[in-house]
Amino acid sequence: MSKPLSDHDKKKQISVRGLAGVENVADLKINFNRHLHFTLVKDRNVATKRDYYFALAHTVRDHLVGRWIRTQQSYYEKDPKLGLDMEELQEMEEDAGLGNGGLGRLAACFLDSMASLGLAGYGYGIRYEFGIFNQKIANGWQIEEADDWLRYGNPWEKARPEYMRPVHFYGRTEHHPDGVKWVDTQVVLALPYDTPVPGYRNNVVNTMRLWSAKAPCEFNLKDFNIGGYIQAVLDRNLAENISRVLYPNDNFFEGKELRLKQEYFVVAATLQDIIRRFKASKFGSRDIVRTDFSTLPEKVAIQLNDTHPALAIPELMRVLLDDEKLSWEKAWDICVKTCAYTNHTVLPEALERWPIDLFQTLLPRHLEIIYEINRRHLERVSSLYPGDVDRLRRMSLIEEGPQKRVNMAHMCIVGSHAVNGVARIHSDILKATKIGEDFIRDLDQLQKLREFVNDEAFIRDIAKVKQENKLKFAVHLEEHYKVKINPNSMFDIQVKRIHEYKRQLLNCLHIITFYNRIKKEPNKQWTPRTVMIGGKAAPGYHTAKMIIRLITAIGEVVNNDPVVGDRLKVIFLENYRVTLAEKAIPAADLSEQISTAGTEASGTGNMKFMLNGALTIGTMDGANVEMAEEAGDNNLFIFGMRVEDVDAMDAKGYNASEYYNRLPELKQAMDQIAGGFFSPKQPDLFKDIVNMLMYHDRFKVFADYEAYIKCQEKVSALYKKPKDWTKKVILNIAGSGKFSSDRTISQYAREIWGVEPTLEKLSAPDDLK
Ligand SMILES: *Cc1c(COP(=O)(O)O)cnc(C)c1O
């Protein structure tokens, strides 16, 4: 909202640029004071910083309300001085940490883009009472703390009890001549909360609708006797636990019943909401008796963000068959035309494969429907490939074995008309005065920066912005973590969820190697680096937690070695989340995107760093491939095995010891980890990590070690030539236009949803001018 402040206007008295359109400073003040007085029930003598933040948030929300209502209907600069420090108030805002990593963050970008492109899109999800845990580091270990983000209330949301919907669980099915009934179910209510999603300066405000679980009044009260009443009220928690907490696994499937309940809960509530809206629109117009659903796919597109909402397919079928009494053929045609599926990962451990027994108990009717979908699907496969039994087994929605399971990805593919991945390999600053501000809406215009790659003044400007961001981040780190940082060192950053496939361990091996080289030749002119690694480990992922412990252990040794001084520092960035990303990424010189080729579906962190003026060291994986293409491959530091090399190595067998024995610096680093050099009080602390790397490393860290180290040498050499470095930075920024989520959403709109995005503005509502 507010622009970065120059130093002299920092602290107090700053402009509220985001409130353009508030014609009258006096009005703004009145509204702010009105909220402070009537909403917060405070005056200036007793108001806290949080009270001011809430009063401001309410004032801003009021400003959006007219636009919000108008946008929804249409689907169907002054310098006001408030005497407040906006940056300080911005710090009061809680992250809505309702996702685990890139997938959720991308969904948030997509909502932003749909509003900015004027698309009538809704974002649906669960209003978790506790989002992704807050990460604390204690003695080098990750500690999880509950993310009580709603403790002080949420000024942006509006509860909509009038749109509350029942969601059914358990029970059994009855087959009658006039159709199937799902009976004796337990009901949980889904209460929607709406958050406005404003487009970029176009007066559009879309809706993000998050569902919260509420027990119905009669929950567990049907057969209570005297004395059972209290227990029945206490048991309401059981129903309301559905929206209590986000499962903290990234790229990992854990087949818990509560998780399956969550997935059905959001799907069932959302589909009812979509169908209610469709029926209310003129398109769903009906002759009193029945809605014509055949036009549903023309008016509604349901984009399944990974398989987590895959139950939308059998649920839509259930509604069309059992409630709306359509034939199977008609219902299936509508379902497939309405649904589209985006795949987000290739890691087998991430694929959702729900045990049949769980389904049978929780969603018996859906299981019947899935069996019928599968029967018809396999019948088609058989007629296309007669006698190919192995193909039938591979393509079935139901996996046989000791425990039968439903393969949700297969169901999505069969039940959707479009399937896409998130990067091609996987699916088959600029100065406003130089290129204007149009790039904000059309990121491809960043291409124009190429013209300025030899413009001395521009090079200096870019380098200056980066230096300011680095200083600012260094100050933040020094304030929060009491670490001293050399702002002239290269900021080498790897922030993302901690996962073996993302290979934070390869980064560790480079750090140790660099450390050993400094120790060996302390008088050489080493390029100073501050290596920062951040990210959460899923609480049940032992190896990931040990990786964090190793990073902090390396930091303890390296950061306290006087021989090293400020030429190498290793910092674990605690509690990586969106607000920390917003500070860290603009401060990065080097972005680490070093997953084993073929494992990262796309990555989005990689793009954020590129756009924000960092150079990438990375493998030919995910979107790195397209980044290299857009920026020119000599402007990225690409190293290591390609997908073909990894496959060839899998065929022949990967032998870590071979690298360990051949590469003395790798051997030294591993011997140090294994021998307690970084954990002198507990020499065998990292035995599990060592054992994994040496004997069962699925992600072949050692195979890329040599190429990675050599590539890092090139990085260090280039960093010594600031002008050449910044030229590459400019070419990276100039090539980053393709990675705008606006571009992605325009493409989804045209190719999958069959709608035309628009950059036209809605007119501002009169009542707010
Ligand atoms: C972008 C982002 C991610 C995804 O990062 P990858 O490097 O693509 O895994 C995860 N978490 C946060 C907070 C992000 O902003």
Side-chain angles (χ1 to χ4, degrees):
M1 186 176 78
S2 57
K3 297 210 306 190
L5 299 177
S6 62
D7 281 322
H8 75 272
D9 63 2
K10 211 162 187 177
K11 291 280 164 201
K12 323 301 167 208
Q13 304 295 313
I14 58 131
S15 63
V16 191
R17 307 271 326 239
L19 299 185
V22 175
E23 289 288 288
N24 192 319
V25 181
D27 274 1
L28 178 70
K29 278 192 172 174
I30 289 167
N31 289 330
F32 178 86
N33 287 325
R34 189 171 53 79
H35 275 299
L36 192 63
H37 190 83
F38 291 105
T39 312
L40 283 305
V41 198
K42 286 282 178 79
D43 67 20
R44 296 242 176 183
N45 298 318
V46 290
T48 64
K49 201 155 62 175
R50 182 170 283 105
D51 292 326
Y52 286 128
Y53 160 68
F54 270 77
L56 180 62
H58 277 108
T59 308
V60 174
R61 203 187 75 165
D62 287 353
H63 175 75
L64 292 176
V65 162
R67 289 167 175 82
W68 198 5
I69 290 171
R70 255 174 157 251
T71 301
Q72 300 310 312
Q73 279 168 351
S74 75
Y75 296 148
Y76 72 145
E77 176 133 313
K78 300 231 165 158
D79 250 6
K81 305 279 200 290
L82 284 173
L84 297 169
D85 185 329
M86 289 298 174
E87 283 201 337
E88 222 177 273
L89 293 191
Q90 209 170 316
E91 289 294 316
M92 302 302 303
E93 179 136 320
E94 298 275 351
D95 283 61
L98 303 182
N100 267 292
L103 183 155
R105 170 60 205 255
L106 184 66
C109 289
F110 281 6
L111 295 189
D112 176 287
S113 289
M114 286 195 292
S116 294
L117 293 167
L119 293 166
Y122 295 77
Y124 283 102
I126 295 176
R127 181 179 176 273
Y128 293 112
E129 192 177 325
F130 296 91
I132 186 68
F133 62 84
N134 282 311
Q135 179 189 56
K136 290 271 154 66
I137 300 294
N139 303 320
W141 297 97
Q142 168 175 296
I143 305 286
E144 299 90 22
E145 272 181 6
D147 166 41
D148 197 0
W149 70 297
L150 295 169
R151 175 166 22 203
Y152 300 104
N154 173 358
W156 301 108
E157 68 183 12
K158 174 79 187 80
R160 297 279 189 206
E162 68 275 27
Y163 296 122
M164 195 144 62
R165 287 290 171 270
V167 176
H168 297 255
F169 295 98
Y170 304 109
R172 58 192 173 81
T173 61
E174 281 179 354
H175 289 251
H176 299 279
D178 60 328
V180 182
K181 285 198 177 115
W182 181 18
V183 298
D184 294 342
T185 55
Q186 259 186 37
V187 175
V188 178
L189 298 175
L191 169 61
Y193 284 77
D194 288 356
T195 300
V197 182
Y200 179 72
R201 296 189 178 176
N202 64 354
N203 294 318
V204 169
V205 181
N206 282 346
T207 302
M208 175 174 73
R209 178 161 285 181
L210 302 179
W211 302 100
S212 178
K214 278 292 283 174
C217 299
E218 69 277 12
F219 188 78
N220 261 3
L221 282 178
K222 279 191 209 95
D223 44 11
F224 79 85
N225 44 27
I226 304 206
Y229 164 72
I230 294 293
Q231 195 54 48
V233 174
L234 297 180
D235 284 350
R236 294 168 62 84
N237 270 326
L238 268 41
E240 295 175 359
N241 277 342
I242 290 178
S243 57
R244 196 76 67 205
V245 57
L246 168 77
Y247 277 91
N249 302 315
D250 184 60
N251 275 297
F252 185 77
F253 171 63
E254 194 186 346
K256 289 279 192 283
E257 180 180 48
L258 181 59
R259 170 71 186 181
L260 186 59
K261 276 190 182 168
Q262 292 180 336
E263 293 187 356
Y264 181 62
F265 175 74
V266 63
V267 155
T270 301
L271 274 175
Q272 291 181 72
D273 207 43
I274 290 172
I275 289 168
R276 174 190 56 76
R277 203 177 292 117
F278 174 71
K279 283 184 172 176
S281 75
K282 54 181 182 282
F283 312 108
S285 64
R286 62 225 119 135
D287 51 46
I288 307 141
V289 193
R290 193 159 287 178
T291 306
D292 175 13
F293 277 93
S294 63
T295 58
L296 186 77
E298 290 161 39
K299 302 300 164 194
V300 174
I302 299 175
Q303 190 70 37
L304 304 174
N305 193 22
D306 213 322
T307 59
H308 313 146
L311 287 166
I313 292 166
E315 172 66 1
L316 181 56
M317 286 300 287
R318 188 191 65 77
V319 171
L320 295 176
L321 294 168
D322 300 352
D323 298 349
E324 305 293 340
K325 309 287 181 202
L326 268 60
S327 71
W328 181 280
E329 288 73 17
K330 188 80 229 155
W332 184 246
D333 181 59
I334 293 167
C335 181
V336 171
K337 284 181 176 153
T338 304
C339 295
Y341 160 58
T342 303
N343 171 277
H344 283 265
T345 182
V346 289
L347 295 182
E349 64 268 37
L351 301 178
E352 290 192 295
R353 295 152 64 246
W354 287 103
I356 293 280
D357 325 346
L358 244 181
F359 251 101
Q360 180 64 257
T361 315
L362 193 67
L363 301 166
R365 178 57 182 144
H366 297 79
L367 185 58
E368 289 177 357
I369 292 172
I370 291 167
Y371 273 130
E372 180 60 15
I373 295 173
N374 195 39
R375 191 186 65 76
R376 289 167 182 251
H377 163 59
L378 293 183
E379 210 166 77
R380 265 190 61 184
V381 177
S382 292
S383 70
L384 290 169
Y385 305 93
D388 192 342
V389 192
D390 198 54
R391 181 180 296 269
L392 285 181
R393 189 189 49 72
R394 283 200 314 269
M395 293 179 68
S396 177
L397 310 196
I398 311 288
E399 295 179 4
E400 302 293 334
Q403 196 179 37
K404 275 203 194 183
R405 291 167 179 272
V406 183
N407 184 312
M408 304 300 265
H410 290 187
M411 185 165 74
C412 285
I413 293 166
V414 173
S416 300
H417 69 281
V419 178
N420 69 287
V422 277
R424 196 182 52 205
I425 191 177
H426 170 229
S427 15
D428 196 5
I429 287 138
L430 69 169
K431 282 197 86 169
T433 50
K434 282 196 156 111
I435 68 164
E437 288 192 348
D438 287 355
F439 72 91
I440 299 174
R441 285 173 197 276
D442 177 9
L443 208 60
D444 274 329
Q445 296 197 22
L446 287 175
Q447 301 263 10
K448 294 181 194 161
L449 287 179
R450 292 210 170 107
E451 270 180 60
F452 303 108
V453 67
N454 292 314
D455 177 327
E456 300 284 336
F458 186 64
I459 294 171
R460 275 198 306 274
D461 285 348
I462 288 281
K464 184 164 163 258
V465 170
K466 180 58 70 181
Q467 200 52 36
E468 283 170 2
N469 292 340
K470 289 175 68 174
L471 279 169
K472 210 169 161 188
F473 190 50
V475 168
H476 170 83
L477 291 177
E478 288 177 15
E479 272 175 15
H480 286 76
Y481 305 106
K482 293 160 191 51
V483 282
K484 190 102 193 87
I485 282 163
N486 170 7
N488 298 315
S489 64
M490 180 200 309
F491 283 16
D492 170 347
I493 307 189
Q494 185 177 24
V495 280
K496 48 186 71 248
R497 288 298 291 254
I498 307 294
H499 207 298
E500 284 161 89
Y501 87 85
K502 290 175 184 282
R503 297 201 295 191
Q504 282 90 358
L505 287 172
L506 183 57
N507 194 343
C508 289
L509 289 174
H510 169 253
I511 298 169
I512 297 171
T513 303
F514 184 39
Y515 171 75
N516 289 334
R517 286 182 181 184
I518 297 174
K519 295 283 279 188
K520 198 167 162 194
E521 295 181 83
N523 297 319
K524 221 175 130 175
Q525 290 298 303
W526 302 104
T527 307
R529 287 197 190 216
T530 303
V531 184
M532 305 178 215
I533 304 178
K536 294 174 183 177
Y541 188 177
H542 174 251
T543 306
K545 287 189 149 175
M546 288 311 299
I547 292 172
I548 293 178
R549 186 65 192 93
L550 176 61
I551 297 163
T552 57
I554 295 170
E556 282 158 34
V557 170
V558 169
N559 300 348
N560 296 306
D561 191 324
V563 176
V564 171
D566 67 359
R567 293 179 294 184
L568 176 60
K569 287 277 181 266
V570 179
I571 296 181
F572 187 82
L573 294 176
E574 191 176 87
N575 205 21
Y576 180 57
R577 63 200 187 286
V578 170
T579 43
L580 186 57
E582 288 168 350
K583 297 182 172 84
I585 295 175
D589 293 306
L590 185 67
S591 159
E592 299 270 353
Q593 306 298 338
I594 57 178
S595 52
T596 314
T599 65
E600 187 77 271
S602 167
T604 51
N606 47 4
M607 306 166 186
K608 295 177 223 169
F609 279 99
M610 182 189 192
L611 177 64
N612 283 282
L615 297 187
T616 299
I617 183 164
T619 48
M620 273 296 188
D621 196 22
N624 298 352
V625 178
E626 287 146 90
M627 284 165 47
E629 207 167 277
E630 296 295 310
D633 46 20
N634 51 338
N635 295 311
L636 277 77
F637 295 97
I638 297 290
F639 71 93
M641 297 181 288
R642 309 306 200 247
V643 172
E644 308 80 71
D645 305 320
V646 176
D647 288 346
M649 189 173 287
D650 275 325
K652 148 170 178 286
Y654 164 66
N655 181 2
S657 319
E658 191 185 295
Y659 301 92
Y660 171 85
N661 291 319
R662 181 163 60 79
L663 305 168
E665 289 184 294
L666 172 61
K667 181 173 187 308
Q668 183 188 3
M670 286 306 298
D671 291 350
Q672 286 170 320
I673 299 173
F677 183 84
F678 299 107
S679 53
K681 286 184 200 147
Q682 205 182 325
D684 67 348
L685 184 61
F686 301 114
K687 62 178 188 312
D688 291 349
I689 284 191
V690 171
N691 187 49
M692 182 275 287
L693 286 171
M694 296 292 298
Y695 305 111
H696 41 86
D697 177 7
R698 293 170 57 207
F699 303 104
K700 307 180 178 62
V701 170
F702 292 1
D704 275 337
Y705 170 83
E706 192 177 16
Y708 181 54
I709 299 291
K710 288 221 169 87
C711 196
Q712 289 283 23
E713 289 167 12
K714 288 193 201 152
V715 172
S716 287
L718 186 70
Y719 196 74
K720 287 211 170 94
K721 304 180 192 159
K723 206 156 111 184
D724 293 348
W725 179 278
T726 304
K727 284 185 185 187
K728 282 195 198 292
V729 166
I730 292 170
L731 293 173
N732 269 269
I733 299 170
S736 67
K738 179 178 182 188
F739 307 106
S740 163
S741 58
D742 293 351
R743 189 270 307 158
T744 316
I745 285 297
S746 296
Q747 210 174 330
Y748 276 47
R750 292 199 180 92
E751 295 174 12
I752 304 175
W753 306 332
V755 292
E756 209 42 50
T758 138
L759 284 171
E760 249 169 70
K761 280 172 97 167
L762 291 183
S763 57
D766 301 330
D767 53 340
L768 285 173
K769 277 193 203 147

